[in-house]
Amino acid sequence: MATQQTFSIIKPDATRRNLTGAVNQKFEENGLRIVAQKRIQMTREQAEGFYAVHKERPFFGELVDFMISEPVVVQVLEGENAVLKNREIMGATNPEEADAGTIRKEFALSIGENSVHGSDSEENAAIEIAYFFNKDELVG
């Protein structure tokens, strides 16, 4: 397996509860390295652009409102098979269905407030990373 990069967001429900370190510890303990990271207050425009793929879905407005409600941590994770590994570490979107020990099982409040976002493919990871970071910021 090759080393990959993937994109991650620590969402407002987790940053509000000061869980950034605990979430990142899960990534690092499982072999992912943080190679870029910043805490930002996402604007409505950023959130709408980032989640544009969901624009026609009924939850779009609620999702955007949630993502701009408080700061988030956007970051790039690197490691062997990083996209899949990150998705395993995060757990199922619904925390009730997530495996024990995953971020969402331990920290998520609900399906909507599920603490983290992670890219679902290498292609989307590249798009999502470029949305928030320039190449000079990837310094791991």
Side-chain angles (χ1 to χ4, degrees), residues 59-127:
F59 61 82
F60 179 74
E62 185 178 331
L63 174 60
V64 169
D65 288 345
F66 170 59
M67 292 303 292
I68 66 173
S69 67
E70 300 202 33
V72 298
V73 175
V74 293
Q75 54 193 11
V76 180
L77 307 174
E78 185 176 86
E80 293 295 316
N81 206 15
V83 173
L84 180 59
K85 184 172 289 251
N86 181 38
R87 296 193 67 77
E88 290 171 356
I89 296 165
M90 289 189 309
T93 302
N94 182 345
E96 293 179 14
E97 297 172 1
D99 290 339
T102 62
I103 292 167
R104 289 178 172 150
K105 186 66 163 187
E106 291 189 18
F107 304 128
L109 299 174
S110 66
I111 292 174
E113 291 184 307
N114 62 18
S115 300
V116 286
H117 162 86
S119 301
D120 62 2
S121 67
E122 281 188 78
E123 296 76 23
N124 283 338
I127 292 166

Side-chain angles (χ1 to χ4, degrees), residues 1-111:
M1 286 184 250
T3 298
Q4 295 178 331
Q5 291 184 339
T6 192
F7 180 73
S8 170
I9 300 176
I10 302 176
K11 293 182 177 181
D13 63 292
T15 61
R16 177 179 65 244
R17 292 177 293 142
N18 205 28
L19 295 174
T20 301
V23 169
N24 284 336
Q25 183 175 0
K26 293 269 189 196
F27 295 138
E28 292 176 335
E29 286 176 345
N30 286 283
L32 295 177
R33 190 168 70 143
I34 300 163
V35 298
Q37 180 183 70
K38 52 188 166 185
R39 184 179 178 96
I40 63 169
Q41 179 67 54
M42 201 179 294
T43 67
R44 181 167 298 280
E45 180 179 72
Q46 281 176 313
E48 287 176 348
F50 186 77
Y51 289 107
V53 66
H54 299 302
K55 190 168 182 87
E56 301 305 319
R57 302 185 90 167
F59 61 82
F60 179 74
E62 185 178 331
L63 174 60
V64 169
D65 288 345
F66 170 59
M67 292 303 292
I68 66 173
S69 67
E70 300 202 33
V72 298
V73 175
V74 293
Q75 54 193 11
V76 180
L77 307 174
E78 185 176 86
E80 293 295 316
N81 206 15
V83 173
L84 180 59
K85 184 172 289 251
N86 181 38
R87 296 193 67 77
E88 290 171 356
I89 296 165
M90 289 189 309
T93 302
N94 182 345
E96 293 179 14
E97 297 172 1
D99 290 339
T102 62
I103 292 167
R104 289 178 172 150
K105 186 66 163 187
E106 291 189 18
F107 304 128
L109 299 174
S110 66
I111 292 174

